[in-house]
Amino acid sequence: VSVLTSWYGTLAYILINEFKLNKINNIDCVDYDPMSKNVGQLLFSELDRDNLKNGKSVYVNYRIKDLRKSGRYLFKDKHLVTLTSCEHLEQSVIDYNLENKILPGTLIVLQSNNYIDCNQHINTSKSLEEFSGLYDKFLDNKKMYVKSFLHYDRYMVIGVKK
C-alpha cells in the first residue's frame, strides 16, 4: 500500500486494523514534509509495539518525497495507492503520477472536496461528478461517494488503474 500525502500516517494504521481481505505487510507513507515522519513515529510507536506483540507485524515506512519529483519505484508492487488530499496538489501532478508512475491493475482511492475557504486548497471541485470526471481516462470500474459536512462536501473516487 502507498498512502500519498500521508501526513503522520493515521490512514496507514486505520488500514492495518480495518482492512480484512488480506493482511497488509508493507505500507509506504509518502509526504514531502520531513516532520511527518518524526511526528508519525512518535504518535504510533506504542501502537507499533502492540501490533508486533499481537502478531500484526506490518512494516510502516515513512518516505519523505515530493510527488512532483519522485520516481516510479514508490509504487512498485503496490496493490493499493491512496491520495486523500487531492485538494492540496496541482491537478497536473496527480495526472502525471497516475499516468506515468502507477501500474495498470492497481486499486486507486482519491479524495478531495469543494472547500474553497482554505488557501491551501488549490485544486477543489464543484461537485462529485466534476471530481470523478477528472479521472475517467485513468480509472476503470469507478465508484463515487460524497460525504456532506456543514460547510463543504468531501468526495471519494475508487477505481482500478487502466
Side-chain angles (χ1 to χ4, degrees):
V1 174
S2 282
V3 179
L4 309 180
T5 61
S6 62
W7 293 17
Y8 308 132
T10 305
L11 180 56
Y13 289 91
I14 291 170
L15 289 170
I16 289 167
N17 287 324
E18 300 298 327
F19 196 77
K20 305 296 183 199
L21 292 175
N22 290 318
K23 181 179 183 274
I24 298 171
N25 295 315
N26 188 323
I27 297 180
D28 287 343
C29 292
V30 182
D31 202 288
Y32 76 96
D33 182 356
M35 288 301 294
S36 63
K37 176 179 182 177
N38 300 335
V39 173
Q41 288 176 331
L42 282 172
L43 285 174
F44 296 110
S45 62
E46 186 175 329
L47 185 55
D48 283 337
R49 283 192 297 277
D50 289 346
N51 282 343
L52 284 170
K53 188 168 65 174
N54 296 319
K56 288 185 184 178
S57 55
V58 178
Y59 186 64
V60 177
N61 182 31
Y62 290 88
R63 295 186 181 272
I64 308 307
K65 299 287 179 191
D66 185 331
L67 289 177
R68 293 169 289 199
K69 302 172 186 171
S70 65
R72 187 178 188 135
Y73 71 91
L74 279 176
F75 310 114
K76 184 180 181 207
D77 300 326
K78 299 301 180 195
H79 301 286
L80 169 63
V81 175
T82 70
L83 175 53
T84 59
S85 52
C86 293
E87 67 273 15
H88 291 275
L89 293 172
E90 299 92 352
Q91 190 62 45
S92 61
V93 172
I94 299 167
D95 291 351
Y96 183 81
N97 279 274
L98 284 170
E99 187 169 358
N100 298 298
K101 297 181 183 179
I102 299 174
L103 298 174
T106 303
L107 184 63
I108 306 292
V109 178
L110 302 163
Q111 291 184 2
S112 188
N113 60 54
N114 62 354
Y115 188 65
I116 60 173
D117 291 336
C118 176
N119 64 357
Q120 295 177 356
H121 289 186
I122 61 170
N123 183 20
T124 59
S125 296
K126 293 178 183 171
S127 68
L128 175 61
E129 292 73 20
E130 179 183 70
F131 177 64
S132 177
L134 295 169
Y135 305 104
D136 286 345
K137 63 184 174 186
F138 301 115
L139 302 177
D140 280 328
N141 303 319
K142 285 193 317 178
K143 303 291 184 202
M144 305 182 311
Y145 304 91
V146 63
K147 181 162 178 71
S148 294
F149 293 91
L150 186 59
H151 298 292
Y152 67 96
D153 292 327
R154 185 109 184 116
Y155 310 127
M156 180 165 60
V157 172
I158 301 172
V160 177
K161 168 72 187 306
K162 291 183 183 183

